[in-house]
Amino acid sequence: MAAATVPAYAETEAMNAELAVVSPGSFYKIRDLHFGIVAASILPGTVTVAPNGTRTATGGVTLIGNSHHAAEFAGMKPTQPNRPVRMRVGSNTVLLTGPGVPMVASLFRANTNPGTPLSTITRNYQVQQTTNGAFALYVGATLAVNANQQPGTYTGTWTLTLDYQ
């Protein structure tokens, strides 16, 4: 009887290890807002990622997988930890462009009190903070998906500004 030999295979994957360190007056982006993967149809619709990470769809949009997440930021107030943070976005709408017709993201919301949409007008928001003023801030938004949206990757850039009081 002959013995069979079986080749052995090994793969190596590179991984990142990261850490964000905050200090008084700091504010850092930890990760981008990601609407995930969707399927479009002959009907327009929306996909919303809430600040807590839940995702919903309306109209002709079908949600696929769980690769979505809210944008995440970390910061630390410089003085008086329980005072509000003044926030604003650079634009009330952001175009996501790709191989097809651009899509519009709007209604940016954060895990703040009040939970009203962020705007280009600077407003006071209360952010859940530790006793030393450190906080995690999560921002979601709603994306309008066009009818018959062409497949592909769509990206857009937006800004968030914090003014500590």
Side-chain angles (χ1 to χ4, degrees), residues 27-71:
F27 176 59
Y28 300 100
K29 179 187 81 169
I30 305 300
R31 68 179 176 174
D32 294 315
L33 172 60
H34 186 57
F35 289 97
I37 301 169
V38 301
S41 74
I42 60 170
L43 300 173
T46 64
V47 58
T48 298
V49 175
N52 68 5
T54 60
R55 183 173 66 150
T56 57
T58 66
V61 175
T62 301
L63 303 176
I64 300 171
N66 292 309
S67 63
H68 63 282
H69 50 76

Side-chain angles (χ1 to χ4, degrees), residues 95-98 100-104 144 146 149 154:
L95 279 181
L96 273 68
T97 58
V101 176
M103 294 180 279
V104 177
N146 302 305
Q149 188 71 48
Y154 293 77

